[in-house]
Amino acid sequence: MELKGKIFKVLTEQTGTGKNGPWRKQDFILETEGQYSKKVCITMWGDKIDQFAIKEGESLTAHINIESREYRDKWFTDVKAWKVEKSGGSAGQAPSQGGSHDDITTFHDEDFDDGSPF
């Protein structure tokens, strides 16, 4: 899935250590295009933070995966970026892996144990 828009805000990077070792993630808020624009919080994990090197005010297309999970009868939804295409060029893209996002390694919540319920 793709979302196009402008980066409204880049949030502070978060780090921790889980059962598989150290992890890092950073959220950013993308304001979508169109008459009824929406703000969406998208998460980048690990090396993608440095690879995409996004900045507030940039226009881009975020290629995302959406996943929901249940914890104690409540549902939580994550929106994770696996590739970013900046407007006017291809800077910030994840390396091509056969042309399909199915081949790209994604991070799952069970890979990280930071003590939070989600």
Side-chain angles (χ1 to χ4, degrees), residues 42-54:
I42 301 173
T43 303
M44 299 177 292
W45 286 93
D47 294 339
K48 291 185 182 353
I49 297 167
D50 300 321
Q51 182 180 10
F52 298 155
I54 62 170

Side-chain angles (χ1 to χ4, degrees), residues 79-100:
V79 181
K80 299 175 185 175
W82 56 270
K83 181 169 86 170
V84 168
E85 294 176 312
K86 297 181 181 182
S87 295
S90 60
Q93 287 189 35
S96 176
Q97 296 186 12
S100 167

Side-chain angles (χ1 to χ4, degrees), residues 14 27-29 33 39 48 53 73-74 88-89 93 95 105 110:
Q14 299 173 36
D27 295 331
F28 65 95
I29 310 303
E33 300 173 339
K39 292 182 177 86
K48 291 185 182 353
D73 294 326
K74 292 185 181 182
Q93 287 189 35
T105 301
E110 55 271 7

